[in-house]
Amino acid sequence: MLRTALVNIPRTSLRRVHVSTRFLRPSLQAFARFESSKPADPEALRAARKHHDSLQRDWQSPILSYEQVKPKTLQPSSDAYLIDVREPDEVIRGSIPSSVNLPLSTLAASLNLKPQDFREKHGFDKPETTQEIVFYCRSGKRSASACDVARRHGYQNLFNYEGSWLDWVAKEGGQKP
C-alpha cells in the first residue's frame, strides 16, 4: 500500500531555477510517496485493543452520582476530601458544602509541595495518597482531568463527581450560575 504525504523541502536543496521574487519562500512543498507496512492481523489488532482497554479501565476513576456525594457533604470527615477544581472566580458563584478549592491549573504543582507548604498556600492539609478524594468542577470534564493528575502523583482512592456543580445546583433547586 502506498501513501502520499505533503513534506517541506528546504529551498537550498533544490537546484536553482528562475522564479519570480514574489513566489520565493523559505521552503517549498512537494508530495512524497512512502510505502507503508501491510495491514496488521485482525486478531492481533483485537488483542491489542482489548489489552489497551484493560489498561484504561484501571486508570479511570469511579464516577459518583449526586446521591453518593450528598451524604459526604452532610457528614464531612477528616479522612475524605471533596475538592473543587474550578478557578477561584468560578467558586465565588457558589460551591458544594464542605468542599475545598484546589484549581486544576495549580493541582499538579500543589501535589508536589511539602505538607507544610501546601497548608500555607491552600489553607487545608495536604491529602494523603490513600485518603478518599472526590473531585468536582462545573460540568465534570476538569474533575476527570484532576483524577488523572492525582493518579499520576500516586493518589489511589480517587472519585469523580461527574455531574459536578451543574448537577448539584439542579438537584438542590438553586440558581444556575
Coordinates of all heavy atoms in Angstrom, one line a residue, residues 93 138 165-166 169-170 173-177:
R93 N -19.2 32.1 42.8 CA -20.6 32.0 42.5 C -21.3 30.9 43.3 O -22.5 30.8 43.3 CB -20.8 31.7 41.0 CG -20.3 32.8 40.1 CD -20.4 32.4 38.7 NE -19.7 33.4 37.9 CZ -19.1 33.2 36.7 NH1 -19.1 32.0 36.2 NH2 -18.6 34.2 36.1
R138 N -17.3 22.3 37.2 CA -18.6 22.8 36.8 C -19.5 21.7 36.1 O -20.6 21.6 36.4 CB -18.4 24.0 35.8 CG -19.7 24.6 35.3 CD -19.4 25.8 34.4 NE -20.7 26.4 34.0 CZ -21.3 26.0 32.9 NH1 -20.8 25.1 32.1 NH2 -22.5 26.6 32.6
W165 N -20.9 20.7 39.6 CA -21.7 21.8 40.1 C -23.0 22.0 39.4 O -24.1 22.3 40.1 CB -20.8 23.1 40.0 CG -21.6 24.3 40.4 CD1 -21.9 25.4 39.6 CD2 -22.0 24.7 41.7 NE1 -22.5 26.3 40.4 CE2 -22.6 25.9 41.6 CE3 -22.0 24.0 42.9 CZ2 -23.2 26.5 42.7 CZ3 -22.6 24.6 44.0 CH2 -23.1 25.9 43.9
L166 N -23.1 21.8 38.1 CA -24.4 21.9 37.4 C -25.4 20.9 37.9 O -26.6 21.3 38.1 CB -24.2 21.8 35.9 CG -23.4 22.9 35.2 CD1 -23.2 22.6 33.7 CD2 -24.0 24.2 35.5
V169 N -26.5 22.0 41.6 CA -27.5 23.1 41.6 C -28.8 22.6 41.1 O -29.9 23.0 41.7 CB -26.9 24.2 40.7 CG1 -28.0 25.3 40.4 CG2 -25.7 24.9 41.3
A170 N -28.9 21.8 40.1 CA -30.2 21.3 39.6 C -30.9 20.5 40.7 O -32.1 20.6 40.8 CB -30.0 20.5 38.3
G173 N -32.0 22.6 43.7 CA -33.0 23.6 43.5 C -32.5 25.0 43.5 O -33.3 26.0 43.6
G174 N -31.2 25.2 43.3 CA -30.7 26.6 43.3 C -30.7 27.2 42.0 O -31.2 26.7 41.0
Q175 N -30.1 28.4 41.9 CA -30.0 29.1 40.7 C -28.8 28.6 39.9 O -27.8 28.3 40.4 CB -29.8 30.6 41.0 CG -30.9 31.3 41.6 CD -32.0 31.7 40.7 OE1 -31.7 32.0 39.5 NE2 -33.2 31.8 41.1
K176 N -28.9 28.5 38.6 CA -27.8 28.1 37.7 C -26.8 29.2 37.6 O -27.2 30.4 37.4 CB -28.4 27.8 36.3 CG -27.6 26.8 35.6 CD -28.2 26.4 34.3 CE -27.6 25.2 33.7 NZ -28.2 24.9 32.4
P177 N -25.5 29.0 37.7 CA -24.5 30.0 37.6 C -24.4 30.6 36.3 O -24.7 30.0 35.3 CB -23.2 29.3 38.0 CG -23.5 27.9 37.8 CD -24.9 27.6 37.9

